[in-house]
């Protein structure tokens, strides 16, 4: 089952924020306390690592994913880091990592999709780029911004 936010949201007194969702052609409402909805996607490579020389290298994609997630989470001690897809290695290495529990009351976290260049021996990986999908706690607008 895959639920998709329609972009319609409302605040109900004493019941929190609710978002309209579509599942298998049917629509309904869900309390956003139980949902994180994907929002906007941004390339955050330069924000994390301003120059290519600052991009980290690790011995595995799993280690690289954890390193990048810790840099992104910063001082948010409550942030949980979970690998959700990968790692996979082909011409480039890929891994997706969720950071949950960072942000404000409208942002529940982010999914980082990390791409990396394999080293010459394919035993190390260096960050090529990082895309972040924002997880919205209170719903999303039609243009995928958090409410």
């Amino acid at each position: 089952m895959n639920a998709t936010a329609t972009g319609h949201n409302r605040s109900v007194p004493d019941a929190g924020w609710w978002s309209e969702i579509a599942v298998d052609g049917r629509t309904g409402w869900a309390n956003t306390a139980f949902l994180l909805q994907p929002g906007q996607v941004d390339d955050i490579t330069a924000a994390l690592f301003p120059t290519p020389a600052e991009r980290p290298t690790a011995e595995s994609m799993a280690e690289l994913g954890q390193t990048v997630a810790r840099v992104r989470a910063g001082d948010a001690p409550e942030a949980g880091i979970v690998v959700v897809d990968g790692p996979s290695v082909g011409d480039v290495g890929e891994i997706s990592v969720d950071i949950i529990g960072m942000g404000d009351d409208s942002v529940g976290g982010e999914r980082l999709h990390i791409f990396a260049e394999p080293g010459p021996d394919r035993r190390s990986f260096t960050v090529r780029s990082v895309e972040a999908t924002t997880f919205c706690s209170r719903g999303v607008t039609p243009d995928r911004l958090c409410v």
Side-chain angles (χ1 to χ4, degrees):
M1 175 173 75
N2 195 12
T4 304
T6 66
H8 298 109
N9 306 287
R10 66 172 70 148
S11 176
V12 177
D14 299 326
W17 282 91
W18 290 72
S19 289
E20 185 180 52
I21 59 172
V23 178
D24 298 328
R26 299 175 73 180
T27 60
W29 291 85
N31 189 308
T32 61
F34 302 101
L35 304 172
L36 286 177
Q37 300 172 47
Q40 167 175 349
V41 178
D42 294 302
D43 183 329
I44 62 168
T45 312
L48 291 176
F49 313 111
T51 67
E54 295 176 71
R55 296 179 184 171
T57 298
E59 292 183 18
S60 70
M61 282 302 300
E63 181 183 333
L64 189 62
Q66 291 289 324
T67 298
V68 172
R70 282 192 301 277
V71 168
R72 183 61 172 171
D75 295 333
E78 71 282 354
I81 299 170
V82 179
V83 174
V84 294
D85 191 28
S88 65
V89 179
D91 292 338
V92 298
E94 291 184 54
I95 191 166
S96 293
V97 180
D98 284 358
I99 307 172
I100 304 299
M102 58 181 275
D104 57 29
D105 65 337
S106 69
V107 176
E110 291 181 319
R111 173 163 293 160
L112 304 181
H113 194 141
I114 302 159
F115 299 91
E117 292 287 336
D121 59 0
R122 299 184 81 70
R123 293 186 182 183
S124 64
F125 299 88
T126 302
V127 169
R128 175 193 278 184
S129 65
V130 181
E131 294 175 352
T133 302
T134 303
F135 288 143
C136 302
S137 300
R138 295 187 310 206
V140 294
T141 65
D143 54 348
R144 308 306 299 167
L145 298 176
C146 295
V147 176

